[in-house]
Amino acid sequence: MTELILSLDVLDKTEACAIAKSCAPYIDAIKVGYPLVLATGLSIVRDLADLGLPLIADFKVADIPNTNRLICEAVFSAGFDAVIAHGFVGPDAARTCVEVAHSHGGAAYIVAEMSHPGATEFFHGGVAERIAELAVAVRADGIIAPATRPERIVRLREIIGKKTIYSPGVGAQGGDPDAVARLVDGIIVGRSIYAAEDPAAEAERLSRIRR
Ligand code: O7E
């Protein structure tokens, strides 16, 4: 079954908690990134933890190994269950994120290719493939691949095999959830849910998408 991950990119704590609570029966995890954490502080993690869903820290960690370690330790100490890191920083820096995640019993996912139009400038031409290979080499739990380019998901799947693929870019960015869901382990959805008139109804609709 393809997971549905809510990307909770709202800026108000009360609104974030209300949306998360109403969608909770239909989603498998919540992705929290810079917009929400910078607006509300890390305490949002404790507020959301009450829902009992895995919390994924989308900080796209991309620094030297020591700084990556400090960031990831803070992520897991705050109560997150998983972290998302960039792979273009190289194997030592990416491996650090994976090691810290695993030492906390958590998971680490590496961004192989991004979903926006400009991402093709640097990720295409073999780079995304190399990052996917790196994700395998550093024993990451999976990769992030673009729902806006299903053919690229297919290509990256060839490299990573059965590892998890989480895919953002459906809905607001144009990706078709029906086409993508059968290719990946989870779709990441933000605006289509949280900006909907009835976020819970939209989450429920998307949750019915199965491989
Ligand atoms: O377009 P939306 O509103 O459905 O939101 C998509 C979310 O996924 C948003 O938080 C954005 O920052 C994130 N995202 C992408 O849209 N494209 C990517 O290539 C990568 C991510 C991302 O989350 O990376 C880590 C999973």
Side-chain angles (χ1 to χ4, degrees):
M1 205 157 69
T2 310
E3 291 176 37
L4 176 60
I5 299 163
L6 171 62
S7 184
L8 198 52
D9 298 324
V10 296
L11 304 179
D12 178 79
K13 185 182 263 201
T14 307
E15 184 188 7
C17 291
I19 291 172
K21 191 175 175 192
S22 70
C23 294
Y26 313 113
I27 60 179
D28 299 287
I30 301 173
K31 181 177 83 68
V32 175
Y34 292 114
L36 183 56
V37 166
L38 291 177
T40 66
L42 261 181
S43 63
I44 189 71
V45 182
R46 285 198 301 278
D47 297 324
L48 294 173
D50 290 344
L51 297 172
L53 289 165
L55 299 177
I56 303 173
D58 176 15
F59 296 147
K60 297 187 183 71
V61 185
D63 215 307
I64 61 170
N66 187 60
T67 308
N68 276 4
R69 180 176 59 75
L70 295 170
I71 293 169
C72 290
E73 287 290 355
V75 159
F76 288 99
S77 298
F80 280 105
D81 302 285
V83 70
I84 292 168
H86 268 300
F88 66 76
V89 287
D92 50 353
R95 185 178 291 113
T96 303
C97 297
V98 175
E99 287 174 353
V100 172
H102 291 177
S103 75
H104 286 269
Y109 303 96
I110 303 289
V111 179
E113 177 174 325
M114 297 188 74
S115 59
H116 58 300
T120 60
E121 179 85 11
F122 292 113
F123 283 103
H124 282 192
V127 172
E129 285 85 344
R130 287 179 64 193
I131 296 175
E133 287 165 8
L134 175 149
V136 174
V138 303
R139 298 178 187 277
D141 296 272
I143 62 167
I144 306 301
T148 47
R149 296 182 210 98
E151 74 287 359
R152 297 292 299 155
I153 295 174
V154 171
R155 172 70 189 112
L156 296 170
R157 171 67 81 195
E158 287 170 4
I159 296 169
I160 66 149
K162 291 202 164 88
K163 277 191 192 291
T164 296
I165 299 181
Y166 286 145
S167 190
V170 303
Q173 296 180 54
D176 173 6
D178 292 297
V180 171
R182 63 192 170 80
L183 303 174
V184 302
D185 301 276
I187 54 171
I188 296 172
V189 185
R191 285 165 286 180
S192 292
I193 294 177
Y194 70 71
E197 204 164 304
D198 184 344
E202 184 60 12
E204 200 266 335
R205 189 186 73 77
L206 286 164
S207 74
R208 282 189 258 110
I209 292 171
R210 296 283 182 264
R211 266 192 250 246

